[in-house]
Amino acid sequence: MHVLRRCGTALALLVAALLGTPVTPAHAAGPAAELTVPQTAYLTKRGVGPTGGYRLWLDPRPGAGRASRAGVTLTVDATDLAGVAHLRTRRQCGDHTWTTEVFTCELGTLTRGGHHYPDALYIEAEPGAAQGSHGTLRYTFSAPGSADATFETDVRVAGPDLRERVEKPLKGVAPGGHFAFRPRIRNAGKAPAQGFGVRFDSARLGFRTDFANCRYAAERSAYCWFDQVLDPGRAYEFAEPVTVGVPDSMLTGSFTYGAYLQDPSGAPLTGMGGAPAADDGTTRGTGPTLRVRPVEGGASEYGDQYGLGTVKLRTSQTADLRATTGTLTGRTGQTVDLKVALRNAGPGRVAGAFLAVTPPEGTTIVEPTPPPDPDNELEWQWECAGRQGTTRFCDPDRALEPGDTWETTLQVRIDERVRGAEGRLEIREDPKRPANDPKRGDNALPIKIDATGGPLVEPSTHPAAGARADGPGGPGGGTIAAAGLLGAALLSGLWWWRAKSRRARASGNSLKLSD
């Protein structure tokens, strides 16, 4: 079997994380645009963006509450940055490579509710710029029949550099309960952080709404802000722990936390690593105000300025995985179906398990033919594209909930009749996400064949690819673990065969956020 997906071009736009206090949007009589911009931008990192520097995203809205505003232009004045920093721009703002001049961006019509990013302004410190040197970057939005709207950002060389502690994995966590966690943040920069925030995110873990200076989004994210100062070279931890909820079916999980510079008055900033706007559906906590306190600790305990604090956990939950298949029946020369299935009998939820299918000697697994796609718009994916020798790796397209069964059908050609031929179906697991299966006796079984027609030949002197002897930890346990590592690696790179859409090719002018 296979999966077809419709391709589409997505542009994920992020706002720079290392920003200071936001400026309140200007509300002059009928201004051309409204905008929230950083009051301070600290140039503490290098190498971000296509040619290095820092992305400064601007997302203007029509001024004076209007639904739209036509003929909007943005004038950027970087003259005050001479000797401190320079800019790079492109697209609507024209191609400028490391300039400190005045230039204009043609934005056209702004529509309220839409996003109107004039690409990004990339800012980089001048070589040899003294630490602490700074200059003012000014932006002016203009439109016919409206007042100009001007905003400023103070660009500084160096500044606060907030880093999260490198966390050790948590083991033996009880499923269906809660555990307490105290994040730690260190200011590795050369200037104090005048207010900051910390954001928590997880796909399945929950955050209890305990603190008044935090906002919570569907219990999967939390955004806490602090009016405290983080001195350079000092580390801090939460004075009270964050309470994290663990689903009853969880085997392995994780959450991340990241610190970001923040308005010292407590107003949340939007953007990567930042907090949401207050009207986006999040809920403010109802408990006491959360604070941080200084702690001892060396710089080696903390990550780099590009990372996040990641907490990985493994619970004591288990999951009973079961493999099922049928017998190959047919004549020599025929291609017949082989249905294989992976069942999770629970009680844990499983992600990362897959099937290794080794056909009997004398047979061949046939790859499916992609369907016609004259417009080149379909994304082709075969679940069993990964391979090692004659063994195919068939990976579910989802995590398996308790009681869930995933199955797929392979086409197997009977090339010849081999005496005593027998294949093998085997469950393998991502070693980083083990199922803690207490009953491994049903994790592997033979694939039998009942073939007719043609002469009966003797088996080869070499074992079929993928065959293995039993060992510690159940059938084939020792080799399964090693092969599982290889299988997981193969799955990550060998199982995609894609036909990219014309739209994807046409989007070559989209910004690549991985640059």
Side-chain angles (χ1 to χ4, degrees), residues 163-441:
R163 307 190 183 192
E164 301 76 19
R165 180 173 57 179
V166 177
E167 304 291 346
K168 296 180 179 179
L170 304 177
K171 298 180 180 180
V173 177
H178 296 80
F179 67 92
F181 174 74
R182 291 180 188 265
R184 288 194 177 186
I185 306 294
R186 181 175 182 271
N187 183 2
K190 304 297 184 181
Q194 304 287 342
F196 69 102
V198 177
R199 171 175 175 164
F200 301 86
D201 283 295
S202 179
R204 299 189 65 236
L205 295 167
F207 301 95
R208 201 165 66 188
T209 57
D210 289 336
F211 303 107
N213 55 325
C214 300
R215 300 192 70 87
Y216 301 86
E219 296 186 352
R220 294 290 180 257
S221 297
Y223 313 81
C224 304
W225 58 93
F226 305 84
D227 60 1
Q228 295 176 252
V229 176
L230 300 188
D231 292 325
R234 295 296 305 272
Y236 299 79
E237 74 171 5
F238 281 25
E240 298 294 335
V242 174
T243 302
V244 184
V246 183
D248 182 66
S249 62
M250 176 168 282
L251 288 161
T252 59
S254 66
F255 68 90
T256 61
Y257 71 95
Y260 55 94
L261 297 179
Q262 157 93 29
D263 180 0
S265 69
L269 293 175
T270 58
M272 184 179 68
D279 61 352
D280 73 342
T282 59
T283 302
R284 184 185 293 273
T286 57
T289 299
L290 179 62
R291 309 288 290 176
V292 295
R293 63 191 181 192
V295 292
E296 299 299 325
S300 61
E301 299 178 18
Y302 296 82
D304 59 34
Q305 59 192 187
Y306 301 99
L308 292 172
T310 300
V311 182
K312 297 181 179 180
L313 62 93
R314 184 174 296 178
T315 75
S316 55
Q317 186 59 278
T318 64
D320 180 14
L321 298 178
R322 302 173 184 176
T324 58
T325 189
T327 298
L328 285 168
T329 303
R331 295 182 57 83
T332 302
Q334 281 187 322
T335 297
V336 297
D337 288 347
L338 175 67
K339 182 177 290 186
V340 295
L342 170 59
R343 174 171 172 77
N344 176 18
R349 175 181 183 269
V350 176
F354 58 99
L355 293 173
V357 185
T358 304
E361 185 175 357
T363 68
T364 302
I365 294 176
V366 180
E367 292 191 7
T369 301
D373 183 19
D375 294 328
N376 197 25
E377 290 186 342
L378 298 177
E379 183 180 84
W380 170 257
Q381 176 185 338
W382 183 35
E383 294 95 330
C384 303
R387 66 183 301 167
Q388 176 190 0
T390 63
T391 299
R392 289 285 183 177
F393 302 118
C394 299
D395 190 85
D397 55 358
R398 63 184 187 276
L400 299 182
E401 301 291 342
D404 196 5
T405 298
W406 176 84
E407 63 180 27
T408 190
T409 301
L410 296 90
Q411 300 288 307
V412 181
R413 185 179 65 245
I414 303 175
D415 299 312
E416 58 183 355
R417 296 173 59 209
V418 178
R419 188 187 306 277
E422 194 173 84
R424 185 178 180 87
L425 176 66
E426 174 177 274
I427 297 173
R428 300 190 188 177
E429 302 169 34
D430 181 345
K432 295 181 179 180
R433 296 183 288 178
N436 299 333
D437 192 342
K439 302 176 182 179
R440 294 190 173 272

Side-chain angles (χ1 to χ4, degrees), residues 55 125 131 138 158 196 230 294 298 358 364 441 461 490 499 503 508:
R55 295 187 182 98
Q131 178 178 297
R138 297 179 175 88
F196 69 102
L230 300 188
T358 304
T364 302
T461 57
L490 288 168
R503 292 191 302 274

